[in-house]
Amino acid sequence: MERVESGNWASRLRRFVRATEEEHCEFCSKTIDSRHAHLVERATRKFFCACPQCAFLLGGGERFAALRARADALHDFDLSDDEWEGLRIPIDLAFVFRSTPAQGPVAIYPGPAGAIESPFAADGWSRLIAANPMLAHLDPDVEALLVNRMNGAREYYLVSIDRCYALIGLIRKHWRGLSGGAEVWEAVRDYLTNLQDDVETKDAVHG
Amino acid sequence: MSGEARESETLEQSLARLEKLMATLESIADATGRETARELLALVIDLHARSLARLSAIIAASDDGVALLEKIVEDRDLRAILLLHGLHPQSVEDRLQGVIARMQPQWSARGLHVSLMSTSKAFAMVQLQRNGVAEPTDQLRLEIENALTDAAPDLDDILIELDMTTLYAETAA
């Protein structure tokens, strides 16, 4: 008779199918729902899964910020081509967000090393906020302005920082050579299409 | 080959294939595909668990229900499925005691004595006494473990503890 490798098959099958459901709060170890809150450690930018209680207690504190999934299109964004040139970002795709550890605005954009991060000129940021007051409410460390001016586009979004890191990861994965290669730009296009779909779906839901 | 042997072979082979498929699925890099397959499997298992729980309740509540359930768990395939869903009419302890009682004459003849120390939801602890049995301990453990896990595949683990007093006696001798 052929023997099953380990006789506790029923126990293992049960644990196997439960593997997805068993997620735990990284602060108190309580079992949490598959749709749970995330906290971002401001200094390290690490993400942590949290139960509602820990997310409430720690989110918005000095060390952690609560992440709220967000993707909103900014329709009447005011930024002229000259002003954009003046911000000295070498590429037409960038994230800008307020960073607590950097004590000011930071820009992240694609580059040969994956993604380049640089301090964003404080006066440039002030002018941007003056022209676009909604930027004043950006939650530090967890919300970003996404600028897409590639191939003549003039698109602006308010997105949660996870989308920013997703794009960085994507660029790191697909960038080839000095200019990135066709693959990376195709991946970026897919990313932007997805973002637009999410914005539209949300707009449809909220009427 | 008798019909019964063919039937038992099918269950063993299915379980072996189940193990392989679980390992394959676990190694799939595509997280979405992997988790979807896992969720699908969980859902199908839950659907069956719900219905089988009701079916068992109806049988248990009917005339001669207890006798009927006993007859049902004599079938290896049905027993396996009831064990998977936690619906076996006997407790883990009763099942393990049953195996030990059935095997004890055979084990005693070889100088082995097996006793159940404790059972919990996930583990069972068994003590093995060997009175001058020369067979390697690992092999004995495996044999006993195999006999017991067949009756309780729903446990995470069965721990087999050697009675140290006999071991000391052997070393001293």
Side-chain angles (χ1 to χ4, degrees):
Chain A
M1 185 173 84
E2 189 185 348
R3 247 211 81 77
V4 181
E5 200 173 314
S6 48
N8 59 348
W9 64 273
S11 149
R12 297 196 312 126
L13 178 56
R14 278 192 213 157
R15 276 178 287 155
F16 178 78
V17 296
R18 299 280 172 257
T20 40
E21 294 166 30
E22 289 279 294
E23 283 187 271
H24 299 274
C25 172
E26 290 183 83
F27 300 95
C28 72
S29 303
K30 193 162 40 187
T31 308
I32 47 178
D33 201 71
S34 63
R35 290 179 64 126
H36 51 258
H38 290 96
L39 295 180
V40 181
E41 192 173 32
R42 297 184 195 273
T44 61
R45 296 189 190 160
K46 270 196 200 145
F47 286 71
F48 295 88
C49 301
C51 70
Q53 287 81 5
C54 288
F56 178 75
L57 282 173
L58 298 168
E62 216 168 275
R63 188 166 162 202
F64 297 100
L67 186 79
R68 280 182 303 273
R70 185 167 187 194
D72 295 318
L74 300 174
H75 293 297
D76 301 310
F77 200 79
D78 184 2
L79 177 64
S80 71
D81 292 357
D82 283 347
E83 279 167 319
W84 174 251
E85 295 291 318
L87 295 171
R88 299 184 176 283
I89 290 175
I91 199 162
D92 290 332
L93 179 70
F95 284 96
V96 187
F97 67 97
R98 287 200 290 145
S99 159
T100 307
Q103 297 183 319
V106 164
I108 293 183
Y109 46 87
I116 294 168
E117 185 173 336
S118 71
F120 193 85
D123 55 336
W125 182 244
S126 312
R127 277 201 303 277
L128 262 187
I129 291 181
N132 304 283
M134 65 285 226
L135 292 183
H137 305 297
L138 272 192
D139 198 354
D141 305 307
V142 283
E143 288 181 341
L145 165 69
L146 167 58
V147 177
N148 171 27
R149 297 167 60 90
M150 290 193 304
N151 308 314
R154 296 290 181 267
E155 292 168 2
Y156 307 91
Y157 300 92
L158 273 190
V159 295
S160 42
I161 206 78
D162 52 324
R163 286 189 185 262
C164 174
Y165 297 142
L167 185 63
I168 293 171
L170 202 126
I171 289 165
R172 198 173 289 147
K173 193 172 158 196
H174 297 287
W175 191 283
R176 301 282 178 275
L178 276 179
S179 63
E183 196 185 313
V184 74
W185 298 114
E186 202 174 306
V188 168
R189 257 199 309 281
D190 285 348
Y191 169 90
L192 289 168
T193 311
N194 276 339
L195 173 64
Q196 248 156 12
D197 287 350
D198 288 352
V199 169
E200 277 163 26
T201 316
K202 196 156 60 67
D203 284 352
V205 170
H206 291 290
Chain B
M1 196 190 284
S2 74
E4 201 195 319
R6 237 193 335 268
E7 202 179 304
S8 72
E9 209 172 62
T10 308
L11 177 63
E12 298 299 329
Q13 280 172 344
S14 301
L15 294 182
R17 220 151 56 85
L18 183 82
E19 306 247 351
K20 270 196 207 124
L21 288 168
M22 283 198 292
T24 308
L25 197 58
E26 203 71 90
S27 69
I28 288 178
D30 168 24
T32 317
R34 191 181 60 232
E35 295 314 320
T36 307
R38 204 200 292 271
E39 231 180 287
L40 178 68
L41 184 60
L43 179 64
V44 173
I45 288 178
D46 282 349
L47 280 173
H48 282 81
R50 233 189 293 169
S51 303
L52 286 170
R54 265 182 237 153
L55 191 66
S56 299
I58 291 170
I59 294 173
S62 64
D63 298 340
D64 293 334
V66 176
L68 188 54
L69 275 178
E70 268 171 28
K71 207 168 169 189
I72 286 171
V73 294
E74 275 170 29
D75 182 285
R76 293 193 74 231
D77 292 65
L78 286 171
R79 184 166 66 234
I81 295 307
L82 290 178
L83 283 168
L84 172 64
H85 296 299
L87 295 170
H88 195 289
Q90 283 182 308
S91 68
V92 178
E93 195 180 339
D94 288 350
R95 279 182 268 142
L96 293 179
Q97 293 289 21
V99 176
I100 292 170
R102 203 172 61 238
M103 296 297 288
Q104 202 65 277
Q106 215 177 308
W107 284 333
S108 295
R110 287 162 56 198
L112 296 170
H113 184 82
V114 177
S115 46
L116 184 65
M117 306 299 286
S118 65
T119 55
S120 71
K121 225 176 139 192
F123 298 97
M125 200 179 273
V126 166
Q127 196 184 54
L128 167 65
Q129 283 174 306
R130 23 179 264 167
N131 303 315
V133 176
E135 286 169 72
T137 313
D138 288 351
Q139 213 169 304
L140 286 175
R141 266 185 214 265
L142 192 68
E143 182 193 327
I144 292 160
E145 205 181 291
N146 286 349
L148 294 175
T149 40
D150 273 350
D154 46 341
L155 286 177
D156 288 352
D157 209 355
I158 294 177
L159 308 164
I160 295 170
E161 194 189 71
L162 267 187
D163 182 0
M164 295 312 266
T165 50
T166 46
L167 198 69
Y168 289 144
E170 276 170 38
T171 322

